[in-house]
Amino acid sequence: MKAVLFEKFGEKPELRTVPDPTPSPEGVVIKVEATGLCRSDWHGWMGHDPDIRLPHVPGHELAGTVVAAGKRVSRWKAGQRVTVPFVAACGHCFECASGNQQVCEHQFQPGFTAWGSFAEYVAIDFADTNLVGLPETMDFATAASLGCRFVTSFRAVVDQGRVTPGEWVAVHGCGGVGLSAVMIASAMGANVVAVDLAEDKLDFARKIGAVATINAAQAENVVKAIKQITNGGAHMSMDALGHPTTCFNSISCLRRRGRHVQIGLMLGEHARAAVPMSKVIAYELEILGSHGMQAFRYGAMMEMIRTGKLKPELLIGRTMSLEEAPAALMAMDTFAGIGIGVVTRF
């Protein structure tokens, strides 16, 4: 099969011909019909993820068709249209038994702990636990765009952030995950303040539901601006970028008993961020992480998509061929363009 592969961190990935995968007894092989490009893939290519072993094929936001299934797989067969959470679970550990597959003790991640979906085919283990069926009405590009950023935002807003109608939500960073959060929080009835450095991304945030925006490159004090707009601070705020400044601002802009959710990865030189702990204590703030979403929770999100309350297809900014993926991957740190890039031609 054709696949995008790199042999050294930070060096240009290349399109190569590599052996086709085979399914494990509890796994499947999926013909990849679409796969998203995510900044997590860029972090992996840069060597920020200790799980990656070289040579490596990246890619973790995928949708496609099952072409082969292992002998112990009972729920899936060839020809079915599927997607998969980017955190895949073992289905057997304590966390899986408690319904928290997103923090599985033995989790694996295509594109990180194993070869991923920047390829014509990808193997996924423990298929009965991890696969999510796709409705015929959903195209593969939209399904792939859900895989990391959209589902992470859904869980961050709905399950971790516990957003309710009328609350103020601040979203720091309007890349793919931030714009997803803007759309989802707005659909939940919240008032969203979007923060970014780029005016085109803020314009788009307003189009998909933000009631106010702040250009952090122009605002004298982002935290003060949010508190003025929200009349005292956000009920829930998230760092959708993963930077010490956005993390600090997200916590600092909360009102008393507010909730901060960290979505953006804090890796490399940004791994240790300052936290205004005195305010966390005095205001009884909550600091929460959000790490993907369980396969069984896709149902609620899919219903909101089916009824038109959520329109993830609006967040697809660019489609491309597999040959174009290496250049697009290397450019992820420039934050150019609006929305999510998706490989749809193999």
Side-chain angles (χ1 to χ4, degrees), residues 212-242:
T213 58
I214 297 170
N215 189 320
Q218 300 173 6
E220 182 177 343
N221 187 312
V222 170
V223 171
K224 184 177 180 180
I226 292 172
K227 289 187 174 182
Q228 288 176 338
I229 292 169
T230 61
N231 193 29
H235 297 87
M236 195 276 272
S237 181
M238 67 174 65
D239 174 11
L241 174 61

Side-chain angles (χ1 to χ4, degrees), residues 124-195:
I124 301 295
D125 209 356
F126 303 114
D128 286 339
T129 296
N130 295 305
L131 295 193
V132 177
L134 296 174
E136 293 294 333
T137 54
M138 180 176 289
D139 64 83
F140 285 115
T142 299
S145 75
L146 302 176
C148 171
R149 285 159 284 194
F150 203 85
V151 297
T152 298
S153 291
F154 188 88
R155 187 165 185 276
V157 170
V158 178
D159 294 345
Q160 296 292 82
R162 308 187 305 278
V163 169
T164 58
E167 286 192 321
W168 283 99
V169 172
V171 177
H172 301 258
C174 291
V177 68
L179 291 173
S180 300
V182 169
M183 177 183 287
I184 294 163
S186 299
M188 295 296 292
N191 302 302
V192 180
V193 181
V195 184

Side-chain angles (χ1 to χ4, degrees), residues 26-39:
E26 294 183 79
V28 299
V29 171
I30 297 170
K31 182 180 184 296
V32 182
E33 303 288 356
T35 184
L37 281 89
C38 177
R39 194 160 184 256

Side-chain angles (χ1 to χ4, degrees), residues 2-318:
K2 291 188 296 183
V4 172
L5 180 141
F6 58 87
E7 295 184 335
K8 293 183 178 180
F9 295 119
E11 291 192 1
K12 183 180 179 180
E14 296 181 353
L15 191 64
R16 301 274 190 87
T17 298
V18 299
D20 291 352
T22 56
S24 67
E26 294 183 79
V28 299
V29 171
I30 297 170
K31 182 180 184 296
V32 182
E33 303 288 356
T35 184
L37 281 89
C38 177
R39 194 160 184 256
S40 300
D41 298 312
W42 178 85
H43 278 297
W45 170 65
M46 287 296 292
H48 297 162
D49 193 312
D51 291 327
I52 291 178
R53 298 289 179 266
L54 299 174
H56 186 66
V57 175
H60 62 284
E61 298 180 323
L62 67 111
T65 306
V66 175
V67 293
K71 60 183 180 181
R72 298 179 190 167
V73 176
S74 61
R75 296 180 55 207
W76 306 99
K77 60 184 179 181
Q80 290 182 288
R81 306 168 80 251
V82 296
T83 188
V84 61
F86 82 90
V87 178
C90 72
H92 305 299
C93 70
F94 173 83
E95 296 298 344
C96 286
S98 67
N100 292 299
Q101 290 89 345
Q102 80 285 354
V103 289
C104 169
E105 297 169 22
H106 309 292
Q107 64 187 252
F108 62 98
Q109 299 176 356
F112 297 96
T113 62
W115 280 16
S117 54
F118 285 8
E120 293 182 283
Y121 299 94
V122 65
I124 301 295
D125 209 356
F126 303 114
D128 286 339
T129 296
N130 295 305
L131 295 193
V132 177
L134 296 174
E136 293 294 333
T137 54
M138 180 176 289
D139 64 83
F140 285 115
T142 299
S145 75
L146 302 176
C148 171
R149 285 159 284 194
F150 203 85
V151 297
T152 298
S153 291
F154 188 88
R155 187 165 185 276
V157 170
V158 178
D159 294 345
Q160 296 292 82
R162 308 187 305 278
V163 169
T164 58
E167 286 192 321
W168 283 99
V169 172
V171 177
H172 301 258
C174 291
V177 68
L179 291 173
S180 300
V182 169
M183 177 183 287
I184 294 163
S186 299
M188 295 296 292
N191 302 302
V192 180
V193 181
V195 184
D196 201 90
L197 299 170
E199 203 59 44
D200 57 345
K201 293 181 179 180
L202 295 174
D203 288 341
F204 190 74
R206 285 190 288 269
K207 291 178 182 178
I208 61 173
V211 299
T213 58
I214 297 170
N215 189 320
Q218 300 173 6
E220 182 177 343
N221 187 312
V222 170
V223 171
K224 184 177 180 180
I226 292 172
K227 289 187 174 182
Q228 288 176 338
I229 292 169
T230 61
N231 193 29
H235 297 87
M236 195 276 272
S237 181
M238 67 174 65
D239 174 11
L241 174 61
H243 188 278
T245 299
T246 47
C247 177
F248 187 89
N249 286 347
S250 179
I251 298 170
S252 299
C253 78
L254 292 169
R255 65 179 64 208
R256 287 167 171 78
R257 297 187 60 79
R259 309 172 302 277
H260 162 76
V261 181
Q262 186 67 37
I263 298 179
L265 295 177
M266 307 289 282
L267 299 173
E269 61 183 11
H270 297 154
R272 296 183 181 274
V275 174
M277 193 56 70
S278 61
K279 187 170 185 178
V280 172
I281 297 168
Y283 280 19
E284 292 191 349
L285 304 181
E286 295 182 56
I287 299 179
L288 303 157
S290 192
H291 190 233
M293 189 169 78
Q294 313 95 310
F296 72 81
R297 280 291 284 149
Y298 272 65
M301 180 184 69
M302 290 294 195
E303 279 300 291
M304 293 183 72
I305 294 171
R306 185 181 67 82
T307 58
K309 290 182 179 179
L310 296 175
K311 298 180 179 180
E313 66 275 10
L314 298 179
L315 301 178
I316 297 175
R318 174 192 175 194

